[in-house]
Amino acid sequence: MAFNFYGPLLLLGLLLSCTATLPVSVSYQRPPPRDTLTIPLSQNSDGLTPQQVHVSLVGENKMRITWITENEAPSRVDYGTSSRKYTSSSTGSASSYSFMLYTSGHIHDVTIGPLNPSTVYYYRDLGQTGWTNSTLQHLGASGYDVLLLPGDLSYADLDQPLWDSYGMLVEPFASSRPWMVTQGNHEIEQLPPMEPNPFKSYNARWRMPYDVSASDSNLFYSFDVAGGAVHVLMLGSYTDYDSSSAQFKWLMADLAKVDRKKTPWLLALIHAPWYNSNKAHQGEGEDMRKSMESLLYDHMVDVVFAGHVHAYERFTRVYDNSGDGCAPVHITIGDGGNREGLAKKFLDPQPVISVFREASFGHGEFLVVNDTHAHWSWHRNDDDEQVLADQVWLTSLVSETTCKN
Ligand SMILES: [Fe+2]
């Protein structure tokens, strides 16, 4: 992949130590709720200007550029390492979908590459109408490599124009760094008999690099970052996960392919947390945990990140509800911010496996330093300033001699 070896991953709306200290439960005096954002649906008059641009990883050294135009337009991207000299170009395809009375714009999908590591690329669409300053920075000194989002994106909940306003809201960020997402319950949008198929909008707008040879689903996939040092499993909490399911079989095959000598870090993202001491969404991840936890444990997954609960909570290394030094750390980072507000009520007393919990909005950063060490930090959104509220150094499980099987 076009990344420097080792770099930070940003987890939105998203550890670790093997040894837990005293549990921490923080009560933060938060500012009053903010108004719902109002974003105009169309900011251009020609219908050809790209909007809602976002990029995502495709394989080892390619990226997918996705954007929407109101009218039909070419699906072509010019790119290069200079903002005035685009030396390469790629073409792709466009599609649209209907949902009840709504018809989407033209959703363009172009894959560019091969790309060189540690290089800033500039790209533009063929229409060249106001998009020329977009940059695709693979690594910046103060930036991050990849944003990981464990579900619940737009909260459109059937109201399709909200997908468009969400695309516009995230474009300044999602057009310059890859966003890798997995689905949440708010992406299901199933309304039989008119709209019988779940995830119609999500699948059309947020196409991820699932392995077509192993699966025909956009709802679970995996990818490498940091030159293959990190393998990320994006699992689907709202598609079948029992032992006879396509997802389970894919996961077994995917894990079997990971060479931990080359890939010391193994991360997983789910939506509904398997461990949760918040009163909200209690037990919702339990069936999936019972099905898949032993698989992740046997393959020494380092961290499991979850969303769904609108609060932050970090657990110690845990397997089957007990602390286990060779098990994944579980982190709930469902606090990206939405109209539903925070999940403020936690179970009392705090379970011993829960190390730190707080009902505040924020984001996390997972910085892979080398084969053996990574730093996790959680940053509270204190007004508009980022405040570091929780941090811990993690050791990769494959470097723990007592954990090697
Ligand atoms: Fe959710």
Side-chain angles (χ1 to χ4, degrees), residues 150-152 155 183-187 238 271-272 281 284 307-310 340:
D152 285 345
Y155 287 85
Q183 89 271 187
N185 50 305
H186 288 274
E187 276 76 69
Y238 302 95
H271 186 64
H281 302 303
E284 292 183 18
H308 201 36
V309 176
H310 301 161
E340 294 175 342

Side-chain angles (χ1 to χ4, degrees), residues 105-173:
H106 297 265
I107 304 171
H108 301 265
D109 185 4
V110 174
T111 298
I112 63 172
L115 306 171
N116 295 320
S118 308
T119 307
V120 175
Y121 281 88
Y122 297 82
Y123 64 91
R124 65 175 183 184
D125 74 301
L126 184 62
Q128 179 64 297
T129 52
W131 194 25
T132 53
N133 290 327
S134 294
T135 57
L136 174 55
Q137 294 193 336
H138 288 189
L139 193 77
S142 60
Y144 58 90
D145 279 353
V146 186
L147 187 139
L148 307 175
L149 205 166
D152 285 345
L153 278 68
S154 71
Y155 287 85
D157 294 329
L158 308 177
D159 187 358
Q160 296 302 295
L162 290 180
W163 276 108
D164 291 309
S165 54
Y166 178 79
M168 293 176 188
L169 176 69
V170 302
E171 181 181 10
F173 312 99

Side-chain angles (χ1 to χ4, degrees), residues 1 3 52-58 62-67 77 108-110 112 115 121 123 131 134-138 144-147 170-181 205-209 221:
M1 174 57 236
F3 288 94
Q52 308 178 47
V53 185
H54 62 92
V55 300
S56 54
L57 303 174
V58 183
K62 294 180 180 177
M63 290 214 181
R64 169 180 287 121
I65 316 288
T66 305
W67 72 96
V77 170
H108 301 265
D109 185 4
V110 174
I112 63 172
L115 306 171
Y121 281 88
Y123 64 91
W131 194 25
S134 294
T135 57
L136 174 55
Q137 294 193 336
H138 288 189
Y144 58 90
D145 279 353
V146 186
L147 187 139
V170 302
E171 181 181 10
F173 312 99
S175 62
S176 60
R177 306 280 173 157
W179 277 38
M180 307 305 283
V181 303
R205 294 171 180 270
W206 292 84
R207 188 175 155 201
M208 289 291 123
Y221 63 96

Side-chain angles (χ1 to χ4, degrees), residues 28-44:
Y28 167 66
Q29 296 299 316
R30 64 194 61 79
R34 299 184 178 184
D35 294 338
T36 300
L37 286 173
T38 302
I39 300 172
L41 286 183
S42 178
Q43 297 173 326
N44 53 82

